[in-house]
Each structure stands twice: as C-alpha cells, then as structure tokens.
Amino acid sequence: MSDNPYLESGPYDFQPVDATDEPSARKEAELLVEAIRHHDRQYYVLDAPTISDGGYDQLYARLRELEEIYPQLRRSDSPTGRVGGGILESLPEVEHTAPMLSLDSSGDLERVLEFDDRARRSLERERIDYVAEPKFDGISIEIVFENGTYVRAATRGDGYSGEQVTEQVRTIKSLPLCLAAAESPTLLAVRGEILMPLAGFHAMNRARVEAGDEPFANPRNATAGAIRQLDVAAAAARPLDLFLYDVLACEGAELPATHSETLEWLRELGLKVERDVARCDGIEAAVEYHDRLEATRDDLPYEVDGVVIKVDRRADQDALGFRSRNPRWAFAHKFAPREEVTRIEDIALQVGRTGIIAPVALLAPVEVGGVTISRASLHNYDQVRDKDIRPGDSVRVHRAGDVIPYVVERVDARPDSERPAPFEMPETCPVCGSDVEREGAYFVCTGGVSCPAQLNGAIEHWASRSALDIEGLGGKTVRQLTEAGLVSSSVADLYVLTRKQLLELELFGELKADNLLAALQKSKATSLGRLINAFGIRHVGEHVAEVLANEFGSIAALMAADEETLTGVHEVGPRVAHNVREYFGQARNREIVERLVALGIDPQVEKSEEAQILEGEKFVITGTLSRMSRQEAGALLSDLGARVTSSVSGKTDFVLVGENPGSKAAKAESLGVPVLDEDEFLALLAERGYSAEV
Ligand code: IVH
C-alpha cells in the first residue's frame, strides 16, 4: 500500500487515459480505489484527512474517467458507486442475521441503580465493569459484511426483519464498503445508528424552507425519510452519518472478550465507532458519564437522548441473558426530554423587519430539558393550518440547543365542537393596519417603513453588531426615536439627528446624546460587507453580504448588477440574486442609498493586491482576539486567499483562537485540526512571506 502514489496529498499530474492499454488502466484503477478508500476513512471515520479537497476530487474524477472508458473495471464496491444512480421500486423485507432487541430505559436514577443491583446480585459480584456510551437518537440499522465486503443494510423493523436499504446506506461516506483488516470475518453483522448531524440538518431545512418545502421536524425524521428514499441519488444528497456499537453476528473470527475491546476491534476494521465512550468501574462512573454528557449535550454535533450502559464482559452478558425482548446486561439512562406537552394560551402575531407576519404560540409555561419556555414558533400560516393548531389546544413542543422552541404537533383530544374556530391570518397588519399580501408561504405587511414594526426592526438591524455596530442604539432607544418622529422614513434619518433633538427625549442625558452622535459618526466609516448586511435584504446575511462586497467592490456596482451577473457569483443562488435585484429595483431603496452616499457612507473594497499565500485554505476564527477584531482577521484572511467558515469540520485547515474560545476550539482539538493562537497565526503568515503590521 505504501508505494501507492495516490496516498500522497496531491495535486496529481495525470496523463490522458490510453484507451488501448487495459492492463495499465486496471492497475491504476486499483491504486485509485485503494487510495480513495484510505482517504475516505481518514476523512469520514477518523476525522483526520491527509489530502486536500482538490486532490481528492482529482482522484475521484480520474477513477470515474477510467471506469467510463473501461466499464469492465468498475467493481461492485467501487467508491464511485456511492453517488447512487438508480431508482428502486420498493424496499423489500429482509430477516435480520440475529434479532435486534430493544433496551429497558428510564430517566430515573433509581431505575438505573436497580438495574445495577439486579445485575450484581445475579452475578454475585460487588462491582461490575460497565461501558457507558451515547444513546444516539437516530435510526437503528443492521449492516452485513461478507468476506469483508459490504453486502446489505436493513432497518430495525419489528426487530426480526426490517426493510432492505442497502443502496441508500451505501451512499453514507463514513461506511467502509470493504473492511480494513487483512483477515476479516467471513460474516459480520453489526448494529448501529444512522443519524443526521445537526449542522447538516439545519442547512437542509433552511434550503427546504427557501424552496417552499416543509422543513423536517427533527434530525431523526429527516434521517428516516432519507434512508427510505427510493431515489438513491436523493438519499445520497442528504448529509447522513453512521455510528456502529454492537455485533449481531460474527463468523470466521473470534469476538474479543469484552464490549470495550469489541468497539476497538470494530474501529480497527475501519468502522466508525464513537470515541467518547467510558469504561466504568462500577455504576457510579457510568452515572458520572451520563451527567457530563447531558451537561454538554447542546455542544454535540448530533442528537443524543441518553446514555446506554452495558456490562463490559461478554461472559457476564451471557450469564445475565434476556428478559422477554430486552437484554439484562444493558440499560438506557435517558436525558431529560427535549419535548413536553403544554397548552397554547393564544396565538400572537409578530411583524419582522422585512414585514413578514409570523404566528407565535403563547404557551402555558413549561420546562423543557431544563429551561422554562412560554413562547414557541409556529413557523408560518401553512403549518398552523396543516397541524390544525388553535388557541386552547394541547401541543407537543420541542426545544434543542439555542434554537427557538417550536410546536411539533397537536395532541389535543377535544372534538372540534369544543374548540375555537380555526386560526386565520389577518387581512391587515396587526401593528400598522396596512394591507397584508401573501408571498408563497409568507404573509407580508405592505406598510414598509410606515409600519412601526418594520421601521423599528430595520433600524435595530442597521445598528446591530454584525451590521453597523452602533453602540447605544438598542430596541428601547430606537422606539423612542421613531415614536417621537425623529426617525420616520429610513435609517438615513439617523444621521441628521441633532444634539438638541436628542436632549428633548426622555431617555437622553447629555452623555448619552453625545455618545450616540459619536457612535453614529463612527459608523459612517463602515465596511461594504457590513453595509450590505445592514440593508436587511431577505436571505442576504453576514456571509453573503461579504461575498457580494468582495465581488462588486462598491454599492454603485452592486446596484447596477443584473440578475444574471448576480447569479454568476460563487455562493449566490437565484433566490439571493432575485432579492437583491428586487431590493435595489425599488425607488425608495435607491433613494435611501443616494441619501447615505450624500452623507458620506460609501465604502469601497480595494481589490486585494496581496499574494494569495493562503489560497484555498479554510479557517475558522473563535474567541476574542487582542490585536485585531475578528472581522479584521477575517478580512485579512480573505485578502490572502483563505476562506473563513463558521463551523469546524474535518475539512478545516486551521482554527484561530482568541480569549474565551467556545466549543469550536475543543472540536478542532478532537478532530486534530491545528489550533493557532494569535502569535502562532502571525508566525504562520510570516513563514509564508507576509509581514503583518499589527
Ligand atoms: S445497544 C441489545 N447502543 O436505542 C442492545 N443502542 O432500544 C442493542 N441506540 O433503537 C442496542 N444508541 O437503536 C445500543 N450506543 C447504543 C445506542 C443504541 C442508540 C438505540 C437503539 C434502539 C434504542 C434502544
């Protein structure tokens, strides 16, 4: 394997394929398959890639080319088979190699201690060695390898047989299509969980909402939907991952004597196994693991709904046996539920800065996963109607991490005759009384800035941190300014405010007035990216605004760009292009820009003259930097050709950390991504020939 040139990181210098030399092509294809498998494992299983994305793409494209010219070289377990071409007719039922049992479970500590008591009495032992591991909230799956090759996958079904989803599961990149060990078992059936990482889930839901599709309620449903897709390419497009945690059957190899060693063995075979599992000497350590994992639950990249505690020694497991369908050697210690049932007291309407009127559920306060909530999103009118939610209904609400809680479904058993009439959207804006128009899934107030909700929202956004970052201009101050009529038509009014006007307002003393005027003055020197973000164009957030700024260089150039030019910009889709065009197409908005330019707010982006010494490298910045702001560091990195992304993955090249870094630094460490403090960052730049004057 070591003399395989494609294990090196690339780029590669391929010669055109010789269509008359099959033996050479065969040899090359074999090396490519071997190398791609190796890189897949490094990237998807071990989170430690040793090749650039570009190099990987080159290898993959070369293998496809060879397989196209010589179709006979295409093996059934080729990595190119993962893209999933076919459409299946159905999901045939298959019997499992061994029954897929379920677990006894509870969130009560007492029940966990009882489980331990029973096991200790039965084994006549003082203490038992356990393994504690995450209970993944995904879809349980059986995966079968014959002579080291992936042959079949099936959902759990009734535990004895399930639906065959071999082709859908083949598209999951962290599944090896071929086991790594030289001598793999003749038969290996493993059990694991398929799940959708949260970042992928949220991105997919955002795209669905933009395309006018219903979002999935949770990653588990999204996973189930993806795995049962008959269109295999559609399944391949969903961001799925896989963890294995149990052996259902093994022939032709001896299983290790303990569960912990079995996990290690599965990992050696190339299967993806969770790293954060704990060997526990006694139940107390397992409970500690549970409490630690629950406390950090919101930082995990996927949903975990508890901890599975398993007796480590296989001989002990056998001695304990089963009770009906549950093993006596394992117990699921659940976390506090993320979902609770409560009553909707009323449905309120919230008008956002872009005029979208969103229904919001006002709830009888309820504790969900440790936090009391009294409001939840209902998304949009279509969802309220489809879920048939009305005031007074009992509903199930879900809260995860820092995402706004939302109403999952109605669980009310009352007959319709005892419920109020179905909820309807109003025909006029609840804030300003202007007409409401329907735009796809949204209801929009047509009042523009004559609607106080829109005017206040637009100004608050203008002043917000990621936009013009105007200190002292929060919600309360904004309302005073608009209610007094001092700011009445647009953000441009802010820049003609006088000290005298401010001093007449209740909230203002001399100091506050002077500070605000100074902050406004300072905000005129903003960057183009921030200014574009500040306009609040729908779907144009911080990142897209930065992309547009770098591409067009000035507001005038952006305003002049037609839809086609906009769509041609990398990372700008048709929806963004349309919204940008529509925004600047309105005379009112062009007037605002003209007023701003006349006031001296007209930032330009200098096209970078810097050598692209970080070309194509991906950086994530976290924590507070001391010598420059994060924005400045980001701008510098872009100037030098790097890409700055918001989340750490195996593809990240470097993470730049300042003071009080968040979970991103820890994640980088766990993925083996190099973490640089500011000094190391500057040293890296210097090493590459850049002298920073910071
Ligand atoms: S062990 C016989 N380990 O939780 C024991 N199950 O009923 C087999 N689950 O749907 C299960 N994470 O799919 C085990 N680390 C883990 C798990 C796990 C999630 C699921 C399993 C089943 C449910 C328990």
Side-chain angles (χ1 to χ4, degrees):
M1 171 131 162
S2 54
D3 48 2
N4 183 337
Y6 308 128
L7 297 178
E8 304 291 323
S9 66
Y12 309 98
D13 188 17
F14 289 114
Q15 301 302 311
V17 177
D18 180 349
T20 63
D21 184 3
E22 183 179 333
S24 299
R26 181 179 298 276
K27 178 107 216 322
E28 190 183 349
E30 272 167 18
L31 291 172
L32 285 164
V33 167
E34 182 188 60
I36 292 173
R37 267 195 202 138
H38 167 82
H39 293 306
D40 276 347
R41 178 168 147 75
Q42 289 299 124
Y43 183 84
Y44 292 107
V45 181
L46 304 175
D47 278 326
T50 54
I51 187 174
S52 68
D53 292 359
Y56 181 89
D57 291 347
Q58 256 193 306
L59 296 182
Y60 194 88
R62 177 68 169 187
L63 179 60
R64 285 198 77 147
E65 194 185 352
L66 288 171
E67 289 177 344
E68 242 161 59
I69 296 174
Y70 296 104
Q72 64 275 27
L73 297 184
R74 187 163 197 281
R75 324 160 25 151
S76 63
D77 61 354
S78 168
T80 60
R82 286 197 199 266
V83 285
I87 308 264
L88 305 174
E89 274 181 11
S90 63
L91 303 173
E93 192 170 310
V94 279
E95 212 169 297
H96 296 307
T97 321
M100 292 175 76
L101 305 164
S102 53
L103 293 178
D104 218 356
S105 70
S106 171
D108 288 343
L109 179 59
E110 231 163 86
R111 294 273 315 276
V112 179
L113 300 179
E114 278 167 22
F115 153 75
D116 175 57
D117 264 348
R118 263 197 315 274
R120 283 188 298 122
R121 262 187 279 123
S122 188
L123 294 172
E124 298 178 354
R125 198 83 59 68
E126 272 287 300
R127 310 177 72 73
I128 294 179
D129 287 335
Y130 291 108
V131 171
E133 55 192 49
K135 181 174 181 309
F136 303 103
D137 190 10
I139 300 295
S140 193
I141 194 99
E142 176 196 32
I143 294 184
V144 184
F145 293 87
E146 282 174 9
N147 300 313
T149 303
Y150 168 66
V151 292
R152 187 170 74 238
T155 60
R156 179 164 178 270
D158 63 3
Y160 298 97
S161 59
E163 288 174 319
Q164 184 169 327
V165 288
T166 309
E167 293 316 311
Q168 293 86 338
V169 171
R170 189 192 298 281
T171 66
I172 300 175
K173 299 284 199 351
S174 45
L175 171 76
L177 300 178
C178 185
L179 295 179
E183 280 175 45
S184 20
T186 47
L187 172 83
L188 180 69
V190 283
R191 176 171 179 173
E193 206 85 355
I194 297 190
L195 29 89
M196 188 175 287
L198 288 161
F201 168 71
H202 292 307
M204 185 186 81
N205 259 358
R206 273 196 300 275
R208 286 180 71 87
V209 170
E210 278 191 27
D213 294 329
E214 280 294 294
F216 285 104
N218 54 49
R220 195 172 182 284
N221 288 3
T223 307
I227 277 305
R228 301 187 70 259
Q229 281 269 356
L230 294 176
D231 176 352
V232 181
R238 303 277 174 84
L240 298 180
D241 204 350
L242 170 70
F243 283 97
L244 284 320
Y245 49 66
D246 194 26
V247 174
L248 286 166
C250 174
E251 287 169 17
E254 198 164 326
L255 280 185
T258 61
H259 177 63
S260 46
E261 288 163 326
T262 305
L263 292 179
E264 193 49 49
W265 179 68
L266 292 176
R267 201 175 283 136
E268 279 163 18
L269 288 175
L271 296 164
K272 186 156 177 174
V273 175
E274 171 64 40
R275 282 189 182 280
D276 186 13
V277 300
R279 276 208 55 194
C280 306
D281 173 14
I283 197 70
E284 301 79 9
V287 172
E288 264 170 40
Y289 173 89
H290 167 278
D291 295 351
R292 171 173 73 75
L293 202 67
E294 183 162 26
T296 54
R297 174 185 196 186
D298 287 346
D299 300 330
L300 296 177
Y302 37 78
E303 281 282 13
V304 166
D305 59 352
V307 163
V308 182
I309 303 169
K310 299 175 181 173
V311 171
D312 195 23
R313 255 179 267 165
R314 200 171 301 283
D316 290 347
Q317 292 184 357
D318 293 342
L320 287 165
F322 299 87
R323 198 192 68 194
S324 74
R325 296 184 57 178
N326 298 338
R328 285 208 185 87
W329 47 263
F331 194 88
H333 187 189
K334 303 271 275 279
F335 292 158
R338 298 266 211 194
E339 292 191 344
E340 281 302 339
V341 170
T342 185
R343 216 168 46 81
I344 295 202
E345 292 185 332
D346 205 356
I347 297 178
L349 294 163
Q350 202 167 293
V351 184
R353 66 182 156 83
T354 54
I356 292 177
I357 305 176
V360 177
L362 305 182
L363 307 169
V366 62
E367 193 183 302
V368 185
V371 174
T372 301
I373 60 169
S374 55
R375 286 166 84 86
S377 165
L378 289 161
H379 294 296
N380 56 40
Y381 172 70
D382 288 352
Q383 293 219 14
V384 182
R385 193 197 47 207
D386 294 349
K387 293 175 183 168
D388 188 18
I389 290 167
R390 308 183 198 176
D393 284 348
S394 295
V395 290
R396 205 149 56 79
V397 289
H398 182 102
R399 183 195 72 85
D402 47 12
V403 182
I404 304 161
Y406 66 89
V407 174
V408 183
E409 61 175 355
R410 178 167 77 90
V411 291
D412 204 279
R414 295 178 302 162
D416 274 0
S417 57
E418 289 173 22
R419 302 169 68 211
F423 171 78
E424 289 298 337
M425 291 298 278
E427 286 175 7
T428 54
C429 172
V431 176
C432 71
S434 301
D435 285 347
V436 170
E437 264 178 13
R438 190 161 186 169
E439 281 180 30
Y442 301 112
F443 286 75
V444 186
C445 160
T446 55
V449 283
S450 70
C451 174
Q454 289 192 55
L455 181 64
N456 288 342
I459 295 167
E460 273 179 53
H461 175 66
W462 180 264
S464 68
R465 277 231 164 143
S466 63
L468 266 66
D469 195 12
I470 304 172
E471 222 169 295
L473 194 51
K476 251 194 191 163
T477 310
V478 169
R479 274 196 301 280
Q480 262 225 331
L481 293 172
T482 56
E483 278 164 16
L486 295 179
V487 175
S488 60
S489 69
S490 82
V491 290
D493 296 343
L494 289 169
Y495 295 91
V496 292
L497 287 171
T498 63
R499 191 166 192 267
K500 183 160 169 286
Q501 284 173 326
L502 291 180
L503 289 177
E504 279 165 18
L505 299 179
E506 202 185 307
L507 275 181
F508 280 87
E510 294 201 348
L511 184 66
K512 187 170 162 64
D514 289 340
N515 284 347
L516 180 61
L517 290 173
L520 281 164
Q521 201 56 32
K522 187 173 145 216
S523 76
K524 288 181 171 184
T526 190
S527 71
L528 182 57
R530 282 171 170 270
L531 180 65
I532 297 172
N533 178 25
F535 286 136
I537 304 169
R538 227 177 279 168
H539 298 307
V540 179
E542 230 172 309
H543 176 67
V544 175
E546 212 49 61
V547 169
L548 292 170
N550 287 327
E551 185 65 28
F552 292 97
S554 72
I555 272 295
L558 177 62
M559 263 173 43
D562 59 21
E563 219 162 303
E564 207 187 325
T565 314
L566 284 161
T567 322
V569 177
H570 179 59
E571 294 193 88
V572 173
R575 185 167 291 252
V576 165
H578 174 79
N579 290 346
V580 171
R581 262 328 308 146
E582 194 179 74
Y583 184 86
F584 291 116
Q586 288 181 27
R588 229 193 66 74
N589 293 332
R590 283 199 308 275
E591 274 162 33
I592 296 177
V593 173
E594 272 166 33
R595 275 187 72 193
L596 292 172
V597 171
L599 286 160
I601 305 178
D602 189 14
Q604 315 278 324
V605 169
E606 298 290 329
K607 283 279 167 233
S608 157
E609 304 270 309
E610 299 289 355
Q612 303 290 288
I613 52 174
L614 299 175
E615 172 110 53
E617 293 191 77
K618 297 201 182 72
F619 275 75
V620 171
I621 310 176
T622 180
T624 314
L625 302 177
S626 61
R627 306 192 198 182
M628 52 190 135
S629 69
R630 286 200 356 206
Q631 279 73 19
E632 283 163 347
L636 174 62
L637 284 166
S638 322
D639 281 353
L640 299 174
R643 270 193 56 199
V644 183
T645 58
S646 57
S647 61
V648 180
S649 77
K651 294 193 180 186
T652 310
D653 292 298
F654 294 102
V655 175
L656 168 57
V657 295
E659 291 285 308
N660 303 320
S663 60
K664 289 177 188 173
K667 179 152 183 226
E669 301 266 7
S670 77
L671 291 179
V673 173
V675 173
L676 306 176
D677 63 24
E678 272 181 279
D679 288 336
E680 289 164 334
F681 171 60
L682 295 173
L684 172 80
L685 296 187
E687 211 174 88
R688 306 226 183 154
Y690 175 81
S691 66
E693 290 164 25
V694 278

